[in-house]
Amino acid sequence: MENRTGETIRFGSCYCRAVSFRVTGQPLRVGLCHCADCRKTSGSAFSAYAVWPVSALEQTGQVGTYGNRSFCVTCGSRVTYVRDDEAEVMLGNLDVVPSDLTPQYELWTGRRESWLHPLREARQFDHDRDLTAASELPETGQPKRIETLDAEVPPSSELVRPV
């Protein structure tokens, strides 16, 4: 879907749809991560995500957070990972699939399962993309627990859904 200025708008939600979001424009980057944190928080062998400027994200619904990763307090689905200037959205939470978003890189490839093959067109990184960039902090062990955010969930009639 596009807005009036021609920018792409993507919609997504958690499993129970109590948390909905939309992102506007093209992502800054799309990646796969095989690190221990992504494996644990996704319950899978890797995470597939896209990163937008935080200003491109609009989210409704009640979320809890742990280590900057937001999840629905009702169904537990991981929704976003928000830093000061960037918002990471899990590709599996987007409403339209398959999407046109293709991973450009893979992180923590040393932890990739032996039965998964590298993506041919994606750059491969043993660890993080760039540990010196302010937005890419190295893993520092167990994240600090953050309080649940209290927000009223709007009725589904107020949420904008793709056609």
Side-chain angles (χ1 to χ4, degrees), residues 36-128:
D37 288 354
C38 284
R39 292 170 66 100
K40 291 287 186 182
T41 60
S42 71
S44 185
F46 61 91
S47 289
Y49 58 89
V51 178
W52 276 267
V54 74
S55 61
L57 172 71
E58 293 179 43
Q59 184 172 294
T60 62
Q62 185 176 3
V63 298
T65 57
Y66 187 82
N68 290 345
R69 288 173 171 86
S70 297
F71 56 91
C72 173
V73 297
T74 302
C75 69
S77 294
R78 184 168 156 206
V79 185
T80 57
Y81 179 85
V82 178
R83 293 182 283 264
D84 291 337
D85 58 346
E86 294 180 337
E88 179 181 293
V89 170
M90 305 307 295
L91 294 183
N93 288 344
L94 294 173
D95 289 343
V96 176
V97 293
S99 77
D100 60 338
L101 303 175
T102 304
Q104 302 157 320
Y105 61 92
E106 290 188 72
L107 302 177
W108 292 87
T109 57
R111 292 180 178 265
R112 181 175 39 227
E113 293 288 344
S114 61
W115 44 266
L116 285 173
H117 302 287
L119 294 176
R120 289 183 193 189
E121 302 298 320
R123 289 190 59 198
Q124 305 294 308
F125 294 92
D126 289 335
H127 299 287
D128 287 325

Side-chain angles (χ1 to χ4, degrees), residues 13-42:
S13 66
C14 65
Y15 181 58
C16 73
R17 298 183 90 53
V19 176
S20 293
F21 64 87
R22 76 179 195 177
V23 285
T24 304
Q26 292 301 317
L28 301 171
R29 59 187 179 278
V30 180
L32 297 180
C33 186
H34 303 274
C35 80
D37 288 354
C38 284
R39 292 170 66 100
K40 291 287 186 182
T41 60
S42 71

Side-chain angles (χ1 to χ4, degrees), residues 103-160:
Q104 302 157 320
Y105 61 92
E106 290 188 72
L107 302 177
W108 292 87
T109 57
R111 292 180 178 265
R112 181 175 39 227
E113 293 288 344
S114 61
W115 44 266
L116 285 173
H117 302 287
L119 294 176
R120 289 183 193 189
E121 302 298 320
R123 289 190 59 198
Q124 305 294 308
F125 294 92
D126 289 335
H127 299 287
D128 287 325
R129 281 182 325 111
D130 181 10
L131 295 178
T132 61
S135 63
E136 298 291 329
L137 299 175
E139 293 182 338
T140 57
Q142 194 66 275
K144 179 180 151 190
R145 186 165 180 87
I146 302 170
E147 281 185 50
T148 299
L149 302 173
D150 290 321
E152 199 166 316
V153 178
S156 59
S157 61
E158 291 181 20
L159 297 174
V160 180

